[in-house]
Amino acid sequence: MAQNRTDSLAPEACGGFTQQLLDWFETHARDLPWRHDRTPYRVWVAEVMLQQTQVDTVVPYYKRFLERFPSVDALAAAELEDVLVVWEGLGYYARARRLHQAARQLVRSHAGCLPESYDALLEVPGVGAYTAGAIASIAFGELVPAVDGNARRVLCRVFGIREDVTRSPVQRRLRELAMGLLPDEGAGAFNEGLIELGATVCTPRGPKCDLCPLVGLCRAHAAGEQEALPVRRPNRGVPHYVVTAAVTVGADGAILVAQRNLDDMLGGLWEFPGGKCEDGEDLPSCLMREIDEELGVEVEVGEKLAAMEHAYTHFRITLHAFWCRLRHGQPRCLDCAAFRWVSRSELEQLPMSVVDRKIAQMVVAT
């Protein structure tokens, strides 16, 4: 990629950037639970939860998670299902699975302790460049940047970078920029401050430039284009799928549920089995096909229990849930991790996605 010199500030300006940011953060840092009683484990849990999730959403989950799993050893000793129950509703469940996997690996190989360097942290399951940088700098004081979406936005605006921020070369350049701005001491505070500024002041829409400590250095503000940066490729349309789910009731009143394969989206969670409609397929036919493919049984599709809309990050669904009963065969796992017949009260104890939890609440209420 051709070098764009818009990111070159005079050395004294770079020093001003760093000190002004640190001074601002010292005064304006939010009082968040992971900023108290810091340990490497607590920093790690917070950083994993904060990936693609708003701070206000994370706070109660973080507190609950630490009450239930206060250490790496406690998390490693837990069953995955127990971890998913505590995580339920926070989304991006692969984070919980990898956190649990990593805790067990750390107990086996590192006496339950997180590695203390950026490079070693990258070997921990689920830890990428940002998370490794955050843990290494905040928990261990290593001189390494941690550049998330908030930090990228600040850097693009201050330095007037007009290239697509989703491209890997641009992201590498932003990381190099951040590295050059790090103070000799206090890299963790700098990284947190940069992210905090992006989250609370240099926001995607309606940035509060009058409150920004870097406004005097900001090229986007000087050009009146702060809301035009960072540049991103246009979003593609969000696909929509029609999905069915079976609430299959046995002769004794038990409900048939299946556990998603661990490598699938929402892996490890329990669901009312079903799946996506194919072109030209009606809802009952879809449901009968999906149950046969997943559990190897034939069901009779009865009355509709509910229809609901739900949006995921990259697609949205309309889900139709039906009461069903077994017509032929005994369930077996053809395309699931496990299945169970459970009582209505047991449904409340299983980790489920938001949509399946809504169905479960309707079932329990009947």
Side-chain angles (χ1 to χ4, degrees):
M1 179 181 68
Q3 182 67 30
N4 183 331
R5 301 311 302 168
T6 60
D7 54 348
S8 58
L9 290 180
E12 61 272 18
C14 289
F17 180 115
T18 301
Q19 193 56 54
Q20 289 171 50
L21 179 66
L22 289 171
D23 291 345
W24 175 86
F25 184 61
E26 184 176 3
T27 303
H28 295 89
R30 288 172 290 181
D31 184 15
L32 300 171
W34 44 87
R35 291 176 176 163
H36 299 277
D37 302 320
R38 274 183 167 156
T39 66
Y41 173 69
R42 287 170 174 255
V43 172
W44 176 36
V45 171
E47 290 300 335
V48 171
M49 287 189 165
L50 287 164
Q51 293 168 12
Q52 302 185 69
T53 308
Q54 295 291 325
V55 164
D56 290 344
T57 301
V58 168
V59 168
Y61 282 93
Y62 174 82
K63 291 179 178 178
R64 240 180 354 255
F65 194 91
L66 285 183
E67 287 172 4
R68 180 66 179 80
F69 313 112
S71 66
V72 174
D73 289 325
L75 179 57
E79 295 298 325
L80 176 59
E81 187 166 300
D82 296 330
V83 177
L84 292 173
V85 166
V86 177
W87 198 276
E88 185 179 314
L90 192 58
Y92 299 98
Y93 293 91
R95 296 179 298 176
R97 296 195 303 273
R98 294 190 188 113
L99 199 61
H100 182 251
Q101 175 191 357
R104 291 191 165 182
Q105 178 175 302
L106 291 173
V107 167
R108 286 194 306 269
S109 306
H110 294 84
C113 297
L114 279 159
E116 297 186 11
S117 74
Y118 173 82
D119 289 338
L121 283 163
L122 288 173
E123 301 300 317
V124 177
V127 174
Y130 164 75
T131 305
I135 298 170
S137 62
I138 296 169
F140 301 115
E142 185 174 350
L143 194 68
V144 60
V147 182
D148 73 345
N150 289 310
R152 289 189 194 107
R153 185 165 54 255
V154 174
L155 293 171
C156 283
R157 288 173 174 171
V158 172
F159 291 94
I161 294 173
R162 296 173 177 83
E163 296 170 86
D164 182 356
V165 75
T166 65
R167 296 181 60 235
S168 295
V170 179
Q171 293 188 5
R172 285 196 298 271
R173 181 163 134 224
L174 291 172
R175 191 171 185 277
E176 291 168 2
L177 263 176
M179 184 71 190
L181 293 165
L182 287 173
D184 292 335
E185 294 184 3
F190 175 88
N191 288 332
E192 282 194 284
L194 193 60
I195 293 165
E196 188 90 340
L197 187 66
T200 62
V201 174
C202 192
T203 50
R205 296 287 175 264
K208 307 175 185 69
C209 297
D210 56 325
L211 302 178
C212 181
L214 306 177
V215 66
L217 301 174
C218 184
R219 291 179 172 170
H221 179 265
E225 59 182 16
Q226 55 268 32
E227 295 210 34
L229 297 180
V231 174
R232 295 178 179 274
R233 68 170 67 100
N235 287 331
R236 287 180 253 176
V238 178
H240 172 261
Y241 303 111
V242 176
V243 180
T244 58
V247 181
T248 305
V249 184
D252 60 354
I255 309 293
L256 179 63
V257 291
Q259 188 180 38
R260 290 174 177 263
N261 291 315
L262 289 180
D263 293 336
D264 291 346
M265 179 179 171
L266 306 175
L269 299 186
W270 291 85
E271 67 173 354
F272 298 96
K276 291 190 291 188
C277 282
E278 297 180 349
D279 290 343
E281 194 173 39
D282 63 38
L283 296 176
S285 298
C286 166
L287 191 50
M288 292 173 66
R289 174 184 54 76
E290 287 285 347
I291 299 303
D292 179 50
E293 292 174 356
E294 186 172 341
L295 292 162
V297 294
E298 183 181 345
V299 295
E300 179 181 313
V301 180
E303 293 183 2
K304 184 182 289 189
L305 170 64
M308 59 188 72
E309 306 280 339
H310 188 72
Y312 293 96
T313 304
H314 301 298
F315 65 93
R316 58 190 180 87
I317 65 169
T318 301
L319 182 139
H320 302 267
F322 291 85
W323 293 106
C324 297
R325 69 176 182 85
L326 280 185
R327 175 180 285 169
H328 179 73
Q330 293 298 320
R332 62 191 191 280
C333 283
L334 300 180
D335 190 18
C336 62
F339 72 88
R340 293 183 194 172
W341 289 98
V342 298
S343 67
R344 282 167 165 76
S345 61
E346 288 172 323
L347 277 177
E348 298 177 302
Q349 308 305 316
L350 298 175
M352 290 182 162
S353 70
V354 171
V355 172
D356 284 290
R357 177 60 63 205
K358 289 178 179 178
I359 298 172
Q361 290 169 345
M362 294 178 187
V363 171
V364 169
T366 60

